[in-house]
Every structure is written in C-alpha cells, then in structure tokens.
Amino acid sequence: MTSVSRSKTTVPGLPPEFVHRPALLTALDRGEDRALTLVCAPPGYGKTLLLADWIRSQDTPCAWVTLDEEDDDPRRLWTAVLAALRACPAVPASSRLHSLVVPRTTVGIDFLTDVLESLAAVPTRLRLVLDDAQHLRSKAALQGLQLFLRQRRTTVRLVLASRLDPALPVARLRMEERLCELRTEHLGFSAAETATLTDLCGLDLDPGQTALLHERTDGWVAGIRLAAMPLRSHREPDRFLADFTGDERPVADYLTGEVFAHISAAEADLLRRTSITDPVPSALAAELSGRADAADVLGALERSTGLVVAFGEHHTEFRLQELIRTYLYADLYRHGPALAAQLHRQAAAWWADQGHPVEALQHAAQGDDDTLVTALLHRWAPQLVARGEHVELHRALALAVDGGAASDPWVPLVSAQIHLVSGNVPAAQAEIHRAGALVPGTQDDALAHFWVATSRMAGLDAAVPDPGSAPADPALAALAAAGRAAAGLYASQNGAPLDAPQVLRELDAALAVARDQQFGLLEVQCLCLVGTATSLVCDNARAAAASTAAIAAATAHGWQDSWWAATAHAVLAHTALMRAMPGRALEVADDGLRLTPTGADAVLRFALRSARGGALFDLGDRPGGLLEMQEAHAELGGVPVPPALAAGAALLEHRAALLLGFPAASTASMGRLADQGTPSAELTLMRAWSEAAAGAADQARATVRPLLDGSRPMTLASTLVEAWLVEVWGALRSGDRPAARQALRAALVRAEQLDVVRPFALAGQGQRVLLVDQLGGDRDPDVFAFRCLAARRQVRRPADPQLSAREQDVLAQLVSLSNLGEIADDLEVSVNTVKSHVRAIYGKLGVNTRRNAILTALERGMLA
C-alpha cells in the first residue's frame, strides 16, 4: 500500500476564532466507559474541531485518522489506522502494531484479530478517533469496527465523527447503555455561542442581528462562519441576514452566491482547478492553474478564509475541506467536463514526471484517456508489476480495454503478470498467447524483454526472440533475470537437468535489485524461487532460509495471503520435515493450507498436505499421517505433479505404510511413481525398503547397489542418503560391521551437505548404535552426527506397548528361525499358549505378520 499522509493522522489545529464548548467536553468525558462514542451531524456542525479541542485538553493519548472516500477500501482504511496507532506515543515500540501489515488482497478476520489483540496488549488506555466516518459504507470496511465493538476492548475508546449513522449496531449499543452520542441538537450553537463566534470573527452585530443570524442558521456552525465572510464588508447586514436562509437553500447555491463571490475569480479558478486532487502539492497547483504563484495564493486563502489548510514539513501541500472541495469539483464539471478531463491528464503527466506511476494512472483513468493510460503502462508496467500495484493496474487495464487499447500487447502481458501472482498459470498463459497473436514480432526492446520475462515466468517459451541487449530499466532487468531463473526451473520439471548455480545467480541478481528499488512483490517472488531451486537440489538449509525470508517479506509487503507466500510455506514445510523438525513442518503446512482453499492450486495443496502427513506421522500420529498423504493424492486427482514433488511424496507415503505394516498402501505408492513411466532411483529405493521390511538383507543391499555406485540417476539428492542407510541396515543384519560403519560415514557426509536429518531420526537401533560409535564420545551439538542422533527426540513414535514378561520372551524367540512348536518346547509351554502370546504381541504392535512384528520391535528398540 502507499504511504499515509501525515495530515490524515494529525489532530487538526484550532483556528483563532474557535469557540470552546465546556459542556460538550464534559459530555464526552462521561462516555469514557462506553464501547462507542459517536459524534453525528450534517456537515459544518464543528464535529472535527470539537473532538480536536477535546483531545488537546486531555491527558489520554489519541490515534487520529481523517478519512476520505478511498478509505472505504478496507486495505486503505487499516493502513491509515495502523499509521495513526504507530504514531501514538502510548503504543510502545515493542507492540506488534509496528510490524503488522495490511494484506494486499482481502482484509480477513485473521488480520483484524491480530490488530485487536495487539491493541489489547497496549499498556495505556488510548482513544482511536475516526473523523469523517461517513465514508465507510461497505461491509468490508465496517467489518473491523463491528468486530471491535463485539470484543468489548477496555484499552481503546473508539470515537467516530460522521455525517450520518454508520452501519453499526448503534440502536443496540444505545439500549445496552454502551453508546455515548452527540447529535445535531447537541452540536448546534446556542445563541450565546453564536454571539461569541461572531465577536471572534470581527463582526460588529447588535443583539438583534446576532439573534437573526442564529435563527437563520439554527446554530449551524459552518453557516455562521461562512456568513461571517461577506458580513464583514456588507453594507446592509440586516438585508443580508434576512436573505440568508442556509437551512432552506442548497449549500451549493449559498457558496456560489455569497462565499465564492467574495474571493476573486482568479482565486476561485485556482481552487476549482486544484480540486481534482487531494492533497495538492504546490508545484502541481502551479501546473494545473498555470500560475507560478499558486502556492502563495493558496497560503493567503488559508490565512484569510480557512478554506485551505497547508501541511507537510515545509507546508508545500494543501488540502481543502471536503465540503468545499467536492463543491468545487462539481463546479469544475459545470464549467465543462472537457476541462476536468484535461486537468486530470495534466496531473497524470505531472505525477509521471515525479516518478509516481500510481498517482499518474489514477488521474489518467479519471481523465478517461485510454491513450494516456496505455502510454503510462508502456513506461511503468514493469515497475508497477514488480511493486505489486495491482489495484491501479486493474483499473488501468479496464480503461484500456474499454477505450479500444485491447489490441496493444502490453495489456494482455500485464494481465498475465497479475494472473501469475494469484497462481493462475493457465490464465496467464492464455493472455501471453493473446499477446503473441496481436503482434507476431516487435522492434520495441522494452516490450520484448517484458514479453520474454512474462512468458518464462508462466512456463512458456518466449514468444519473441530474447533481445541481445540488457534492459536499461532496473525493474525490467530484474524481471528478465527472474524470468530466466523461472525458465530453468520449468525446464527441470520437464526432464532437463537443473543448472542450479546459474538459476541462483539470476535470482540473486534480481533479488538485489528488488530490495534496492523496494520492489516488494518481486522480492517475495525471487525468495520463493530461491527456496524452490535449492529444495530441488536438496540444499535444505538454504531452502529453509529463503522460504522463511519469503514469508517474512510477503508479510512486510502485504502479500502474506498470496499464492507465492503459500508456495514458500510448502517449501519450508518439506525442508523442516527433512531436517527432522516435524512440529515446525506441521505448523507451516497448516498455515499454507489456510492460504490455499480447496479448488485453488491442486499441486500446491498436494505439496502442503504431503508435508503435513509426513509431519503428523513423525509426531506420533502415524495412521493419521498416512491417511493425510492418501487423501492428498485423492484430492489431486489426475493433475500432473513435478517429478521431485512426486518422488518425495511417494517416499514419504511408502515409508509410512511399511512402518505401519500396510503392504497394500506401500504397493500403491510405488505404483503411482511407476506410472510416471520413467526409470526412477526412488522406485528402486522403495523396492529395497520393501525387501528390508521382509528381512531380506542381502536382496535389499543388492537392490540399492546401482544407487550407491552412481549408475542410476536420482531425482532427489537425498535418495543417496537413504540408500546408504539401507546398506548400513543390511550390513548389520549380515554381520558385516566394517561395511556398515563405512556406509554410515558415507551417509553422514552426503546428509551433512544437504542438511538431511530425518532418515537418521527414523533409523533403527543398530544404526543408532553405530552413530554413537561414530561420535566417539563427542557431544558437541554442532557436530552433524550428534544432530542426527539427537533428532530421534523430535520424531515421536507411538508409545511402546507394554508386553508381559512372557510376551517379551516369545518376542525374543520370534527373531530366530524356530517355528512355534520349537519355541513352545524351548519355553516349556504349550503351542496354544505361544499362539496366544503371538496374537497379543501382534495386536499391541499393530502388525499382522511375524516379519513386521520383528521389524517394528527392532525399530522401537524392543529387541536387544
């Protein structure tokens, strides 16, 4: 979101002729314990100045927001509210309010709850004043206030100043005695206050004239003030007062005939021309009016009429009261719509020259100039895309299409970039194809670079040849680099080898520009792509760091609900799982799933649910974890999955099924991977695991040998670690401890390079004993082997079943090759007794075969 003007969050100053109203201040004080304070009256009844006087006369700290029409957008509303709260001295630097960022898409209940909880933690009671609250009309904008009132917070007093009742439960609050309200009848000046004001305004009126003025205005403060200006020089005040019927005539008629009649035509023209923008910088005022002295004239009007307010560090920006500005804007159109459109076009050009494309596009749209909008898109689209200014881009695209600019290839390319942010790759590809159909080739280097970058980000070959020269525009250069990286990632998903170093160089270059130029969205995208690229080569430490940074950047820039943030969650969840951090993996996967509802990106949901299933399994809910993985496949349907994700998910599910003793489920996971039709080292690994589960040590070792000697390429680098651990297990079962130690060292070397810990956490007792030997007594937590040994504590297994002493004896005998009769003879019991004990053991271990009982007992350390 754009920054919030200081004038929006500053308590207004009081004019010299201000009338203090102690009775109303006391009424406001009496509402300290009420849920809502509502000051409601038509324009000009002094609501703002009354609250400003109240705030300035109290010790209670205040956060003030002056609202306007654009604040009906909940994103703009809460951006302004957060800015005001951060500026409030009662909000400590440690408060979460300083780090909260308004979402770029939908302001949902989670964000609003975060705001309210952060407010509840503020140690000092404060007041939140929303002035001109009549601009809040939409349900979305009012949702947060409704939630605020329902929560009954005690640390913040909510104060609204509005021209009409807001769509809030005002009647119910009144009935519950939770409402403090001041209405028109309270705010209208008394006769004595009218006399005080006319005296302060320098009017020499007798009591009768003052009473008539009060009668005609009915105590309407604005009417009294507006009448004071012509009355100062009017030769016949009695006649003026007799004709002044502000309560009957439209305010616009009065302003036209009496107020603006007393300023020069040149001053009125200046105010009309500058009414198209709020606020108006002095340089823009000069541009719109054609007067070099525009700032001086506005400053003089501020001093003489109060119609204008200067603000900013050097008082170089001006605001009109909303009532006056909207009247002037309407009056501008009465002078001719063409003039208003021309002024908007001038403002658009001025803002563009100042390097403010958002404001430029806003005015170009209001000027209804699709040619200008298209020209601005040509100039600023890369930067706006990189910054993520999609609200203005949407408006610009709509105007460009309505104005006949749909044949311009920039329009579908910008639309494609917007689709990419939401993860809708098919829609983005369709727009890129449309751009290609509009112009088969181009001599415009900027368009060519943008075209190629957008195509690559969407997984398409560039529609035009890659221009030879590098883009001069930093945003375009960064987008081009990110596009080249994305192309490398897409190619790897189609079977091409991934040139990870080159991909990461491109992303690092794009990321550096994004951070330097404050391209928030591009920063998130680059970090997400870094996480994806490094996860594909199983560099789990870097993948985790990049994904964590991507999530943090998405939160900081308001993209925490985006498809890119969800993708970063998926990568982080899988890396946390491989680093034997199942609790963290489950937390991140759940957060990511909240961002990707059913029916959204099927592959992304599959990735998140697979990681979630693995995390549940590792945390001890083994049946639940396997079921989550199976349901993830069912939800996916027949949607193709990238090879690395398919292999990783298959390995997770197969291992879980084997450890639970579900051969049909393990076979199904192998079948899904085999259906991809390409030889897979991961499929070979699963066969070896199945053979190990059957106790076939020599066969399992023979199966993984092609993986260990490098003769079979692997989709996942971590597969080699798993293969070496199969060799460790097989060598131990064969009594070849030297070979087991050598294989364990090879597994540790490769695993440390990848930061892969989970396979060791799932390892059996014999492998853990070798890990202890490998450490040689070293207990340095930074030693990788110690991390692997300690990781077992992170992977929770179901509680070991409580076997009786006789069941323990039978279990020990099951390891042998003896049949049940021989075991009975050895234990000096009947065969039926042994059978009963075996059935009890199977039930407690959750298995149904002798082999699975032995494997489960070994993995749980129940056998020496």
Side-chain angles (χ1 to χ4, degrees):
M1 300 294 291
T2 55
S3 60
V4 177
S5 169
R6 186 180 302 175
S7 65
K8 285 181 69 71
T9 59
T10 301
V11 179
L14 302 177
E17 66 275 17
F18 178 74
V19 177
H20 295 278
R21 311 182 73 183
L24 293 185
L25 300 184
T26 301
L28 289 169
D29 289 338
R30 285 198 296 266
E32 190 64 25
D33 61 341
R34 304 299 173 92
L36 174 65
T37 296
L38 178 62
V39 182
C40 185
Y45 274 88
K47 302 180 293 294
T48 298
L49 294 181
L50 171 67
L51 290 176
D53 185 36
W54 179 54
I55 293 299
R56 293 177 183 277
S57 65
Q58 302 287 323
D59 294 331
T60 304
C62 169
W64 180 288
V65 182
T66 300
L67 303 172
D68 55 36
E69 292 174 347
E70 292 185 344
D71 292 316
D72 197 36
D73 180 342
R75 296 166 298 177
R76 295 183 181 272
L77 168 64
W78 289 101
T79 297
V81 169
L82 284 179
L85 289 169
R86 290 166 184 156
C88 181
V91 177
S94 60
S95 172
R96 282 194 63 215
L97 292 168
H98 290 283
S99 60
L100 287 175
V101 178
V102 179
R104 284 274 182 171
T105 52
T106 302
V107 177
I109 191 68
D110 289 343
F111 167 77
L112 295 172
T113 301
D114 284 344
V115 172
L116 295 181
E117 289 176 352
S118 301
L119 283 171
V122 174
T124 303
R125 183 169 174 80
L126 59 85
R127 292 164 180 161
L128 173 59
V129 178
L130 302 184
D131 191 25
D132 284 337
Q134 70 275 357
H135 294 301
L136 304 181
R137 300 184 181 91
S138 69
K139 181 178 179 181
L142 290 166
Q143 180 185 18
L145 300 184
Q146 292 169 337
L147 181 63
F148 188 102
L149 295 174
R150 287 199 301 269
Q151 296 293 320
R152 298 176 182 248
R153 302 291 175 180
T154 59
T155 56
V156 182
R157 181 178 179 183
L158 180 61
V159 182
L160 301 183
S162 178
R163 296 179 182 177
L164 44 86
D165 274 4
L168 295 171
V170 173
R172 190 185 72 208
L173 292 171
R174 185 184 298 118
M175 182 181 64
E176 296 172 352
E177 297 185 347
R178 298 176 59 215
L179 177 68
C180 171
E181 56 184 327
L182 295 179
R183 298 275 176 182
T184 305
E185 59 270 23
H186 306 112
L187 295 173
F189 267 26
S190 66
E193 288 170 330
T194 301
T196 301
L197 179 56
T198 58
D199 288 343
L200 290 172
C201 289
L203 299 178
D204 187 17
L205 300 179
D206 60 38
Q209 291 170 333
T210 302
L212 182 56
L213 175 60
H214 178 71
E215 179 184 350
R216 294 301 187 196
T217 61
D218 198 25
W220 181 40
V221 184
I224 300 169
R225 289 181 179 276
L226 292 172
M229 289 187 290
L231 271 173
R232 290 191 185 102
S233 56
H234 205 284
R235 294 182 179 180
E236 299 179 68
D238 287 332
R239 180 178 177 181
F240 172 83
L241 290 170
D243 294 336
F244 177 62
T245 56
D247 57 338
E248 296 179 357
R249 295 182 182 180
V251 174
D253 289 346
Y254 174 75
L255 293 173
T256 301
E258 299 298 337
V259 176
F260 290 106
H262 295 274
I263 62 176
S264 70
E267 290 171 332
D269 184 62
L270 171 61
L271 291 176
R272 272 193 300 270
R273 287 172 174 267
T274 56
S275 67
I276 68 166
T277 182
D278 181 38
V280 56
S282 56
L284 178 55
E287 174 73 21
L288 296 173
S289 65
R291 298 184 56 158
D293 63 344
D296 294 334
V297 175
L298 290 171
L301 286 171
E302 178 187 25
R303 292 186 295 272
S304 63
T305 68
L307 296 175
V308 183
V309 177
F311 67 96
E313 185 177 355
H314 302 291
H315 294 274
T316 55
E317 293 183 84
F318 296 90
R319 298 196 76 165
L320 293 168
Q321 292 180 358
E322 184 67 8
L323 178 64
I324 302 299
R325 190 190 72 80
T326 53
Y327 163 78
L328 288 166
Y329 192 57
D331 193 41
L332 176 65
Y333 270 89
R334 285 193 290 271
H335 281 72
L339 174 59
Q342 175 58 36
L343 291 171
H344 276 299
R345 289 193 289 270
Q346 286 181 252
W350 187 87
W351 283 113
D353 288 343
Q354 303 304 309
H356 292 274
V358 172
E359 291 83 353
L361 275 175
Q362 288 174 342
H363 283 286
Q366 289 178 289
D368 200 27
D369 189 336
D370 60 283
T371 301
L372 178 57
V373 167
T374 305
L376 291 172
L377 281 179
H378 289 189
R379 178 179 175 184
W380 294 107
Q383 184 180 131
L384 291 169
V385 163
R387 285 169 52 181
E389 296 287 356
H390 288 176
V391 173
E392 296 310 324
L393 284 172
H394 271 299
R395 292 176 181 172
L397 290 179
L399 180 62
V401 171
D402 290 343
S407 60
D408 188 309
W410 282 91
V411 172
L413 290 176
V414 171
S415 179
Q417 286 281 355
I418 294 174
H419 285 305
L420 286 174
V421 173
S422 64
N424 193 344
V425 176
Q429 291 176 340
E431 292 288 5
I432 293 167
H433 288 310
R434 188 162 72 87
L438 293 175
V439 180
T442 179
Q443 302 300 315
D444 182 345
D445 278 356
L447 174 59
H449 281 296
F450 191 60
W451 202 333
V452 171
T454 305
S455 300
R456 287 171 170 167
M457 290 287 283
L460 295 176
D461 291 332
V464 294
D466 196 352
S469 59
D473 177 18
L476 199 50
L479 288 171
R484 289 191 293 269
L489 291 174
Y490 273 112
S492 70
Q493 294 181 6
N494 295 322
L498 174 63
D499 187 354
Q502 179 61 30
V503 167
L504 292 173
R505 279 194 293 271
E506 297 284 8
L507 289 174
D508 286 342
L511 182 59
V513 175
R515 285 173 167 165
D516 180 67
Q517 299 292 321
Q518 297 183 336
F519 297 152
L521 176 59
L522 184 59
E523 179 185 357
V524 174
Q525 292 172 319
C526 288
L527 287 168
C528 186
L529 291 173
V530 169
T532 302
T534 49
S535 69
L536 289 175
V537 294
C538 292
D539 185 350
N540 287 293
R542 185 170 181 185
S547 300
T548 300
I551 294 169
T555 301
H557 297 299
W559 292 98
Q560 63 268 37
D561 297 330
S562 68
W563 178 87
W564 290 92
T567 300
H569 279 82
V571 173
L572 182 57
H574 278 277
T575 57
L577 193 62
M578 294 306 296
R579 301 172 82 198
M581 302 164 63
R584 175 64 171 154
L586 181 62
E587 175 189 359
V588 173
D590 283 340
D591 288 344
L593 285 167
R594 281 192 285 271
L595 304 178
T596 53
T598 303
D601 188 324
V603 174
L604 181 54
R605 280 189 58 83
F606 174 72
L608 288 162
R609 293 197 69 182
S610 296
R612 187 177 191 275
L616 287 172
F617 184 89
D618 288 358
L619 288 170
D621 184 5
R622 292 190 162 187
L626 178 59
L627 180 61
E628 180 77 10
M629 289 184 261
Q630 292 170 332
E631 288 181 347
H633 273 292
E635 183 182 25
L636 181 66
V639 177
V641 176
L645 177 57
L651 289 176
L652 285 173
E653 184 179 345
H654 181 80
R655 185 72 171 273
L658 282 180
L659 292 178
L660 284 169
F662 297 155
S666 64
T667 301
S669 62
M670 292 177 66
R672 278 192 289 269
L673 193 59
D675 288 344
Q676 295 211 344
T678 56
S680 169
E682 286 68 33
L683 194 60
T684 301
L685 175 63
M686 287 191 282
R687 292 194 187 99
W689 280 347
S690 298
E691 292 159 355
D698 292 340
Q699 190 173 348
R701 294 178 74 184
T703 299
V704 297
R705 192 163 296 120
L707 308 184
L708 303 180
D709 63 21
S711 60
R712 184 162 298 173
M714 303 177 191
T715 302
L716 303 174
S718 58
T719 298
L720 182 58
V721 177
E722 300 278 17
W724 277 118
L725 287 178
V726 171
E727 170 67 11
V728 173
W729 177 85
L732 285 174
R733 290 298 298 270
S734 302
D736 190 353
R737 293 186 70 82
R741 291 192 187 95
Q742 182 179 357
L744 180 62
R745 283 193 295 271
L748 286 169
V749 168
R750 185 59 175 148
E752 186 170 14
Q753 294 170 351
L754 306 176
D755 202 32
V756 171
V757 180
R758 183 177 187 264
F760 300 93
L762 296 176
Q765 185 180 34
Q767 292 151 307
R768 296 197 307 277
V769 170
L770 283 186
L771 272 174
V772 174
D773 294 341
Q774 180 74 23
L775 284 167
D778 191 346
R779 287 295 181 267
D780 184 349
D782 292 330
V783 173
F784 185 73
F786 183 76
R787 282 184 58 203
C788 292
L789 188 64
R792 187 173 179 82
R793 294 194 297 268
Q794 303 296 324
V795 176
R796 305 170 199 161
R797 299 162 184 267
D800 289 338
Q802 298 299 312
L803 301 184
S804 68
R806 181 57 74 180
E807 288 168 350
Q808 289 279 7
D809 294 338
V810 172
L811 178 62
Q813 290 283 346
L814 290 178
V815 179
S816 69
L817 298 178
S818 303
N819 60 36
L820 295 186
E822 292 170 336
I823 293 174
D825 291 341
D826 191 52
L827 296 177
E828 299 180 348
V829 297
S830 69
V831 173
N832 287 336
T833 298
V834 172
K835 289 181 179 179
S836 296
H837 288 320
V838 169
R839 284 194 296 271
I841 291 169
Y842 285 4
K844 291 179 179 181
L845 295 181
V847 299
N848 53 21
T849 68
R850 182 172 179 172
R851 288 172 178 172
N852 286 338
I854 295 169
L855 178 62
T856 301
L858 285 169
E859 289 182 338
R860 295 185 180 182
M862 300 172 68
L863 290 171

